């Protein structure tokens, strides 16, 4: 966006390591339409799904847990302070670690929200299988988080 230009909005795509310039447009809507045309219907659907997976919605812990239950997902437990695999504190917020394969720049309000995003990336069966594998490796992970945190403090 460059105010003062006749066509201040630039549209471009990044695929792999290269960027493709699609042009400059008078409005943000025109630029977005050009990106959508370049992506095509399947590409737009994939981009929207990726955005849904990575987007922080400012959920409370209860909302994230309810969403996981409604979607049939299992929150993957972890051997860390947050209680969830790959979820760590980053300042006052939470993030997914680099080993998760997710965008590590994204920040979440609660560890449950970050864990929900990770569970969504795995899907219903994947999150269940990952949880079972973690519990097989460390049976204490089957305990509720609060109980595990109490054990680690003593």
């Amino acid at each position: 966006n460059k105010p003062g230009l006749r066509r201040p909005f630039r549209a471009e795509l990044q695929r792999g390591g290269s960027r493709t310039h699609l042009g400059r447009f008078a409005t943000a809507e025109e630029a977005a339409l050009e990106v959508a045309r370049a992506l095509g219907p399947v590409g737009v659907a994939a981009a929207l799904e990726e955005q849904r997976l990575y987007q922080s919605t400012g959920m409370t812990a209860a909302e994230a847990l309810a969403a996981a239950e409604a979607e049939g997902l299992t929150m993957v437990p972890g051997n860390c302070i947050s209680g969830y695999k790959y979820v760590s504190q980053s300042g006052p917020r939470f993030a997914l670690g680099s080993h998760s394969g997710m965008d590590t720049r994204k920040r979440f309000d609660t560890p449950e929200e970050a864990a929900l995003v990770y569970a969504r990336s795995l899907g219903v069966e994947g999150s269940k299988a990952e949880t079972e594998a973690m519990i097989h490796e460390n049976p204490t992970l089957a305990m509720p988080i609060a109980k595990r945190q109490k054990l680690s403090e003593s």
Side-chain angles (χ1 to χ4, degrees):
N1 181 355
K2 290 189 174 184
L5 290 179
R6 205 182 76 184
R7 295 175 177 242
F9 296 93
R10 180 176 55 201
E12 59 185 30
L13 289 178
Q14 187 166 347
R15 291 185 179 143
S18 64
R19 254 182 217 189
T20 303
H21 179 72
L22 301 175
R24 288 195 160 282
F25 301 88
T27 67
E29 291 81 7
E30 288 173 324
L33 181 60
E34 185 60 29
V35 169
R37 284 181 179 142
L39 288 173
V42 172
V44 169
L48 289 172
E49 177 62 12
E50 183 175 332
Q51 181 181 2
R52 184 188 76 80
L53 288 174
Y54 291 104
Q55 186 174 11
S56 172
T57 57
M59 289 182 162
T60 65
E63 289 168 335
L65 292 168
E69 186 176 341
E71 295 174 35
L73 297 167
T74 306
M75 305 286 246
V76 182
N79 294 318
C80 53
I81 292 172
S82 73
Y84 297 103
K85 186 172 184 179
Y86 299 132
V87 177
S88 61
Q89 191 149 9
S90 179
R93 301 187 77 204
F94 297 87
L96 288 164
S98 58
H99 296 299
S100 68
M102 308 287 285
D103 184 349
T104 60
R105 297 166 296 177
K106 193 72 182 162
R107 297 296 178 261
F108 304 92
D109 293 337
T110 64
E112 291 81 6
E113 182 182 14
L116 173 63
V117 168
Y118 179 61
R120 281 177 174 162
S121 76
L122 298 173
V124 174
E125 294 303 317
S127 64
K128 183 179 179 187
E130 185 84 7
T131 296
E132 288 170 358
M134 290 298 291
I135 290 171
H136 179 75
E137 193 177 296
N138 181 354
T140 61
L141 293 177
M143 294 180 197
I145 291 174
K147 190 169 184 178
R148 282 189 276 143
Q149 288 172 337
K150 244 182 172 176
L151 279 176
S152 68
E153 291 170 5
S154 52

